[in-house]
Amino acid sequence: MTASTHAPIQTKLIDGKERYYEPAPQGIDVEAFRQVVTSRRSVRKFTAKPIPKEVVDDCLDLAMLAPCSSGLQPWEFYVVRSSGKKAKLVKACMSQWAAKSAAELIVCVARTDRVNEFSKKMMRDWPMPEVPPLVKRYYQMIPYNYMPGPLNSFARVKKAAISVGGIFTPLPRGPFTEDEVKLWAAKSAALACENLVLAFRAHGYDTCMMEGYDEARVSKLLNLPDGAFPIMVVAAGERAEDGVFWPQVRFERELFVHEV
């Protein structure tokens, strides 16, 4: 299913009203999913085996199904196939083994410059016959909510107003500034990266999510516009026998999980 294809719309009478209905799927193999998650490792060395294009495409399609803020999908994926560009990308990744030996190098880019465009597209592509008035108003307001203004001037005004209003009622405290909007986009793009690497693992291939790269060189290589920035380079391929350098380390669960 492509991103622009919608499943047939189902409705059901719920609480006396006809509502959209999407039943939760049953029979999902939890142990198979657990195996995908637990066997995912940061692989530093790959074999020379290529990944079939249909597998790469399927993994990218699954990546784009990741959760995202307001459905705005603030990401792009650049599959670097040109041998010249791939060599430059490997160099920009500090020539680390994962980059040099990978069958595929995919750059995940976060975008903050398409909020206005994609808010309008969301209303045009709404999967139901009509866009509910509250939903329409919400997407009309999003560009203003995410607009920092020159030198964060709008952001400072909005932040001050929200700080006062927040005294009386719970309110979202951002994103307002340029850095906060970049963080907003990066969070959604990172979720898509996780989908991508788990999809490769499910297909029997492995990955390494690399943050060790020269961002300026990668941006120049991909000719990224203002408002677009790389957040991760994903190396993918078949795991070499010595591709995992050491056992996985995870600290004690109680350091991270809290019941309050």
Side-chain angles (χ1 to χ4, degrees):
M1 182 184 293
T2 64
S4 59
T5 303
H6 297 297
I9 294 173
Q10 297 183 62
T11 60
K12 186 176 182 180
L13 197 64
I14 303 174
D15 296 332
K17 293 183 179 181
E18 195 75 14
R19 299 183 183 275
Y20 173 69
Y21 176 63
E22 186 172 320
Q26 303 299 315
I28 293 176
D29 192 332
V30 176
E31 289 309 313
F33 176 71
R34 190 188 314 279
Q35 185 179 13
V36 169
V37 173
T38 57
S39 65
R40 184 221 57 82
R41 296 300 311 278
S42 292
V43 171
R44 310 290 175 174
K45 187 177 178 183
F46 301 96
T47 72
K49 178 181 176 180
I51 304 176
K53 186 177 185 301
E54 59 269 21
V55 171
V56 177
D57 287 341
D58 186 53
C59 292
L60 289 165
D61 287 342
L62 291 170
M64 291 188 291
L65 293 177
C68 53
S69 177
S70 299
L72 293 178
Q73 304 155 68
W75 54 55
E76 284 184 323
F77 292 95
Y78 288 78
V79 184
V80 181
R81 293 268 168 75
S82 159
S83 58
K85 287 187 176 181
K86 195 169 184 179
K88 291 180 180 179
L89 181 57
V90 168
K91 187 175 181 180
C93 291
M94 320 301 173
S95 298
Q96 53 188 292
W97 268 109
K100 287 195 296 185
S101 62
E104 299 286 350
L105 288 175
I106 302 171
V107 184
C108 179
V109 172
R111 299 288 298 261
T112 62
D113 59 330
R114 301 198 292 192
V115 171
N116 191 5
E117 175 190 351
F118 280 17
S119 296
K120 294 176 181 177
K121 182 172 175 58
M122 178 62 78
M123 288 188 284
R124 291 195 305 269
D125 292 359
W126 192 254
M128 302 292 283
E130 294 183 6
V131 182
L134 285 176
V135 172
K136 186 175 182 179
R137 181 62 177 164
Y138 176 78
Y139 282 103
Q140 288 172 337
M141 290 301 298
I142 278 181
Y144 301 100
N145 293 339
Y146 289 26
M147 187 187 301
L151 300 176
N152 287 321
S153 53
F154 297 162
R156 286 195 292 270
V157 172
K158 288 184 287 187
K159 192 179 285 282
I162 289 295
S163 295
V164 173
I167 297 173
F168 306 100
T169 187
L171 292 171
R173 308 296 177 114
F176 298 132
T177 67
E178 182 178 352
D179 285 344
E180 289 171 347
V181 175
K182 288 182 70 174
L183 176 60
W184 164 83
K187 287 191 291 185
S188 286
L191 293 174
C193 288
E194 180 72 2
N195 267 30
L196 180 66
V197 301
L198 291 179
F200 272 117
R201 181 83 287 278
H203 274 285
Y205 295 91
D206 284 285
T207 55
C208 184
M209 293 190 278
M210 297 179 289
E211 294 184 287
Y213 56 83
D214 186 321
E215 182 175 328
R217 281 183 165 82
V218 174
S219 296
K220 183 178 180 180
L221 177 66
L222 300 179
N223 195 28
L224 298 181
D226 291 340
F229 57 99
I231 67 160
M232 205 170 293
V233 180
V234 177
E238 181 187 57
R239 184 185 306 195
E241 288 187 355
D242 56 346
V244 179
F245 287 0
W246 45 76
Q248 189 177 63
V249 178
R250 286 295 182 267
F251 302 133
E252 297 86 348
R253 188 177 191 271
E254 54 267 24
L255 293 174
F256 308 102
V257 179
H258 311 284
E259 296 183 12
V260 297

